[in-house]
Amino acid sequence: MDPGRCHRSRLSRLGWLTLSLLVLGRAVAAPMHPQLPLPCTPGPAAKCAGVDLSGQDLHNADLRGADLSGADLTGTDLEDADLRGARLDGAHMIGTDLAHAQGQRASLRAAKLLDCDLESADFSRADFSDAVLDGSDLESAKLAGSILRHEIGR
């Protein structure tokens, strides 16, 4: 047998083995639903107005006083999030999880909360003027002192 051929054959097998391990390693290490880098950094007093945060995991996030006006929060996990004093005016929330969230004194003017989970959330003294809450679960939600008016013709 030609020694050069044997060397190439081993090298070829080694190359395939290395390539296979690399591919498998990446497949195992890759998250099932990778999150893209966020265009803003969610946190207290964050400036995220108009930003697409749809599908993000913001479970237990501290968003006190954050500006999320006009943000797309469709399918976002905001369970147990602290939204006290946050601005969510005109935000789009479809299927958003807000269960157990703290949203006292938050502003949700003209926000769309469609099929959202607000179970046991506290939005006391929040402003929901002209907001749409169709299909949302408000079981055990605290809304004492909240503004829930809707002006016809808007």
Side-chain angles (χ1 to χ4, degrees):
M1 183 180 212
D2 177 21
R5 182 174 176 213
C6 181
H7 177 71
R8 281 190 302 265
S9 177
R10 270 193 221 141
L11 186 58
S12 177
R13 279 187 295 216
L14 183 60
W16 278 108
L17 178 62
T18 303
L19 179 61
S20 298
L21 289 173
L22 284 174
V23 170
L24 288 174
R26 284 188 184 160
V28 171
M32 293 300 288
H33 300 288
Q35 295 209 355
L36 300 174
L38 298 176
C40 70
T41 304
K47 306 287 185 226
C48 296
V51 172
D52 182 359
L53 295 171
S54 59
Q56 295 298 318
D57 181 2
L58 299 176
H59 181 95
N60 208 29
D62 184 353
L63 297 167
R64 287 174 291 155
D67 185 0
L68 298 162
S69 301
D72 184 357
L73 298 164
T74 299
T76 299
D77 180 1
L78 286 164
E79 184 176 357
D80 294 309
D82 190 344
L83 295 162
R84 290 177 289 171
R87 291 191 55 217
L88 294 143
D89 301 333
H92 295 272
M93 295 179 250
I94 302 169
T96 302
D97 186 355
L98 291 155
H100 308 282
Q102 299 296 308
Q104 298 92 328
R105 297 183 187 268
S107 180
L108 295 106
R109 300 175 67 102
K112 305 229 178 328
L113 292 92
L114 308 175
D115 299 317
C116 294
D117 183 1
L118 284 94
E119 183 181 347
S120 299
D122 188 350
F123 279 90
S124 302
R125 295 180 281 188
D127 186 354
F128 287 93
S129 297
D130 295 315
V132 179
L133 296 156
D134 292 351
S136 291
D137 180 1
L138 298 168
E139 185 177 337
S140 302
K142 296 176 185 167
L143 301 172
S146 293
I147 301 168
L148 297 164
R149 71 171 165 245
H150 183 74
E151 293 185 29
I152 298 173
R154 277 193 145 186

